[in-house]
Amino acid sequence: MRWRTILLRYYFFLVTCLLTALEAVPIDIDKTKVKHTQPVESAKIEAPDTGLYYDEYLKQVIDVLETDNHFREKLQKADIEEIKSGRLSKELDLVSHHVRTKLDELKRQEVARLRMLIKAKLDSHQDTGIDHHALLKQFDHLNHLNPEKFESTDLDMLIKAATSDLEHYDKTRHEEFKKYEMMKEHERREYLKTLNEEKRKEEESKFEEMKKKHENHPKVNHPGSKDQLKEVWEETDGLDPNDFDPKTFFKLHDVNSDGFLDEQELEALFTKELEKVYDPKNEEDDMVEMEEERLRMREHVMNEVDANKDRLVTLEEFLKATEKKEFLEPDGWETLDQQQFFTEEELKAYENLISLQENELKKKADELQKQKEELQRQHDQLEAQKLEYHQAVQQMEQKKLQQEIPPSGPGGELKFQPRM
C-alpha cells in the first residue's frame, strides 16, 4: 500500500518497497525499445536494518499496524508531512482491539529489552541502587511513563524519533568517512616515522605514484545528467542511445514498479560511473571511498530532483528535472580524488584526540595490570598460608605418632587404625 511505502521509505533510507499494490496510473512503455527485460517479482522485500537501536521494534510496529484495515485506509491517503507531524497517530485510537493488544505486547517486550540493556551497562560499571525506570527517560522512541500500554503518544514518539535519527544518517556517514581518511593519513605518517631516510623516500614516492594512478581515470559524467543516464541506458539496459526516453528510463529503473525511484534505486544508477574510478583489484583504489562517492552522487541527485524532499523521486519530478539546463549542460563533476577532506589543523586536532584516548586506555590498562598483580600477590599469599598450614598439620600428626597418640581427623575425632 502507498502509505506503507511512504512510511518505510522515509524512515528506512535504503529500504525498498514492501508492497507493490499501488493506486497509481500505470506508465506505458514502448516495448519495441526495451530488450531483454525481466519481469519484476511482486513478492514482499524485507526492509534492511536501519542501524537504529530500536530497528526491530520499529519494523514490528509497522507490520502490526498494516494489518488494521481502518489505519491502512487512512494512511493510504496520507502525505509525508501528515506522517512526520504525528497527526495520524491519533488514528491509533480507532484500530481494532486485536491490533492494540499486539502493540501493547510489543511495547512491553521493548521496555523489557531496554531495561536489560540498562542493567547490563550498569553492571559493567558496578553501579548499584540505580532507578532503572528513571533511566528509561533517555529513550525517546516510546512513552516510558506507561510501560504496559501502546498509546497514540508512543506512535507519535516512534515516528518523530525515527525521523530525527535518520535525517542525520548521511551527515553521520560523512563525518565517519572524514575520520576514516584522517586515521588513514595518521597511520601512514606514523609508519613513515619508523623508517630510515632512504626507505621513507621510497614510500613517499610509491604513495605519490599510486595517487596519480588512481587519479588517471576516464571522465566521470555528472550524476543525473543526460549523458550519465544515456550511458546507463546504452551499457546497462542495452538500448539504442538515439532512442533515449526519460519516461521509459524511469520505468525500467523503478525496479519494484511502485511509481518511485528511491535512494537505493538511484544509487544503482551510478555503478557505471564508479567503475571508471574504482576497481577492487587495484591497490590504489579504496572501496570505502567508492561508497562515499556513491553517497555524494545520490545526495546531489536528490537535492536537484526531489522537489518535496520526501526522499522519493516521482515520475513527475524526474521528468521536470530532465527539462532543466543542468540536465542537458551540467557542470563538471569533481570526484573525491579532486577534493581535500580535512585540513592540517583538523588532522592535528584529531591526532591529539587519538593521543588522549590512547593515554586513557594505557592508564586503564596500567590500572588493570596493577589489579592483576595485586590479585596474584593475594593468591600467592593464600597459597603460602595454605602450604604453611598443611605443613603444620603434618608436623602435628608426626608428633602424635611419635608419642603413640592415635591420629585425629579434621574435626578432632580419633582415627583408629585397623589391626593387621
Side-chain angles (χ1 to χ4, degrees), residues 102-261:
K102 284 188 175 181
L103 292 173
D104 291 344
E105 179 59 26
L106 286 177
K107 182 176 179 180
R108 285 193 291 269
Q109 291 175 3
E110 178 69 357
V111 169
R113 183 184 74 87
L114 296 176
R115 284 175 173 166
M116 184 174 64
L117 290 176
I118 292 172
K119 184 179 186 302
K121 183 175 181 179
L122 295 179
D123 287 348
S124 69
H125 290 82
Q126 299 181 343
D127 290 332
T128 57
I130 302 297
D131 185 353
H132 289 201
H133 177 73
L135 287 175
L136 283 171
K137 293 180 181 179
Q138 65 185 289
F139 301 106
D140 56 3
H141 66 289
L142 51 72
N143 179 16
H144 68 281
L145 297 176
N146 185 359
E148 299 293 327
K149 295 289 184 181
F150 189 99
E151 302 169 317
S152 59
T153 305
D154 289 288
L155 182 56
D156 188 31
M157 293 178 70
L158 181 60
I159 290 174
K160 289 181 178 178
T163 300
S164 176
D165 292 341
L166 291 176
E167 279 182 345
H168 293 90
Y169 176 77
D170 285 347
K171 181 180 179 182
T172 301
R173 280 185 59 181
H174 288 312
E175 291 173 351
E176 290 302 317
F177 174 74
K178 183 176 180 178
K179 290 178 183 178
Y180 168 80
E181 289 293 326
M182 288 192 290
M183 176 58 77
K184 193 164 69 169
E185 177 62 16
H186 167 70
E187 291 178 347
R188 188 184 75 85
R189 295 185 184 187
E190 289 299 305
Y191 172 67
L192 291 176
K193 291 178 183 178
T194 66
L195 306 177
N196 59 39
E197 185 176 356
E198 182 180 354
K199 287 287 185 182
R200 188 162 54 248
K201 288 181 178 179
E202 288 180 6
E203 283 296 322
E204 288 283 17
S205 177
K206 180 182 176 183
F207 175 75
E208 291 299 325
E209 182 180 341
M210 289 178 63
K211 187 177 178 181
K212 289 178 180 178
K213 186 178 178 182
H214 172 69
E215 293 172 353
N216 184 25
H217 54 72
K219 177 188 174 184
V220 176
N221 289 314
H222 195 97
S225 66
K226 185 175 182 179
D227 289 339
Q228 190 256 313
L229 298 187
K230 280 183 70 174
E231 192 169 287
V232 175
W233 173 274
E234 180 179 7
E235 297 188 17
T236 302
D237 302 332
L239 302 175
D240 187 338
N242 297 319
D243 293 333
F244 177 75
D245 177 63
K247 188 174 181 180
T248 304
F249 183 92
F250 182 96
K251 182 62 177 180
L252 283 173
H253 294 277
D254 175 16
V255 179
N256 48 20
S257 304
D258 66 350
F260 302 97
L261 290 182

Side-chain angles (χ1 to χ4, degrees), residues 314-329:
T314 64
L315 175 63
E316 182 182 359
E317 289 173 329
F318 183 78
L319 294 179
K320 187 172 290 187
T322 63
E323 299 171 358
K324 296 180 180 179
K325 180 182 178 182
E326 292 81 357
F327 179 74
L328 300 173
E329 302 175 15

Side-chain angles (χ1 to χ4, degrees), residues 388-399:
E388 185 179 346
Y389 173 76
H390 182 67
Q391 292 173 344
V393 171
Q394 285 185 328
Q395 290 174 359
M396 289 179 64
E397 293 292 338
Q398 289 176 355
K399 286 181 180 180

Side-chain angles (χ1 to χ4, degrees), residues 200-420:
R200 188 162 54 248
K201 288 181 178 179
E202 288 180 6
E203 283 296 322
E204 288 283 17
S205 177
K206 180 182 176 183
F207 175 75
E208 291 299 325
E209 182 180 341
M210 289 178 63
K211 187 177 178 181
K212 289 178 180 178
K213 186 178 178 182
H214 172 69
E215 293 172 353
N216 184 25
H217 54 72
K219 177 188 174 184
V220 176
N221 289 314
H222 195 97
S225 66
K226 185 175 182 179
D227 289 339
Q228 190 256 313
L229 298 187
K230 280 183 70 174
E231 192 169 287
V232 175
W233 173 274
E234 180 179 7
E235 297 188 17
T236 302
D237 302 332
L239 302 175
D240 187 338
N242 297 319
D243 293 333
F244 177 75
D245 177 63
K247 188 174 181 180
T248 304
F249 183 92
F250 182 96
K251 182 62 177 180
L252 283 173
H253 294 277
D254 175 16
V255 179
N256 48 20
S257 304
D258 66 350
F260 302 97
L261 290 182
D262 64 18
E263 293 177 332
Q264 188 177 22
E265 289 166 336
L266 278 178
E267 288 185 0
L269 299 178
F270 311 134
T271 300
K272 284 292 179 184
E273 299 304 316
L274 294 169
E275 288 176 350
K276 296 176 182 178
V277 187
Y278 299 94
D279 185 340
K281 297 178 183 178
N282 294 338
E283 183 184 0
E284 68 274 8
D285 297 339
D286 188 332
M287 295 301 103
V288 174
E289 292 179 0
M290 182 185 76
E291 292 308 314
E292 174 69 8
E293 189 79 77
R294 190 191 303 273
L295 171 60
R296 290 177 63 246
M297 288 179 171
R298 186 256 293 164
E299 281 184 309
H300 173 77
V301 173
M302 274 294 186
N303 288 334
E304 293 292 318
V305 181
D306 181 21
N308 62 357
K309 306 304 176 186
D310 63 355
R311 296 187 176 272
L312 299 167
V313 176
T314 64
L315 175 63
E316 182 182 359
E317 289 173 329
F318 183 78
L319 294 179
K320 187 172 290 187
T322 63
E323 299 171 358
K324 296 180 180 179
K325 180 182 178 182
E326 292 81 357
F327 179 74
L328 300 173
E329 302 175 15
D331 297 329
W333 178 256
E334 288 190 355
T335 53
L336 289 176
D337 51 56
Q338 298 173 284
Q339 301 179 35
Q340 185 173 350
F341 309 119
F342 53 84
T343 64
E344 281 296 320
E345 290 75 14
E346 287 175 322
L347 178 59
K348 186 173 181 59
Y350 184 66
E351 289 179 325
N352 290 337
L353 177 61
I354 292 175
S355 179
L356 289 173
Q357 291 173 341
E358 288 177 345
N359 290 337
E360 187 64 27
L361 289 174
K362 186 177 183 305
K363 182 180 177 182
K364 289 182 179 180
D366 291 342
E367 291 175 355
L368 289 173
Q369 182 62 31
K370 288 179 181 178
Q371 292 176 12
K372 179 182 176 182
E373 291 173 356
E374 176 60 22
L375 289 172
Q376 185 63 47
R377 186 190 67 77
Q378 293 176 5
H379 173 75
D380 293 343
Q381 188 177 24
L382 288 172
E383 287 295 318
Q385 291 175 352
K386 180 180 177 182
L387 179 61
E388 185 179 346
Y389 173 76
H390 182 67
Q391 292 173 344
V393 171
Q394 285 185 328
Q395 290 174 359
M396 289 179 64
E397 293 292 338
Q398 289 176 355
K399 286 181 180 180
K400 288 180 182 180
L401 288 173
Q402 291 172 358
Q403 297 173 4
E404 297 183 350
I405 300 176
S408 61
E413 70 275 9
L414 293 178
K415 296 174 68 177
F416 294 96
Q417 304 275 343
R419 293 183 180 181
M420 302 298 295

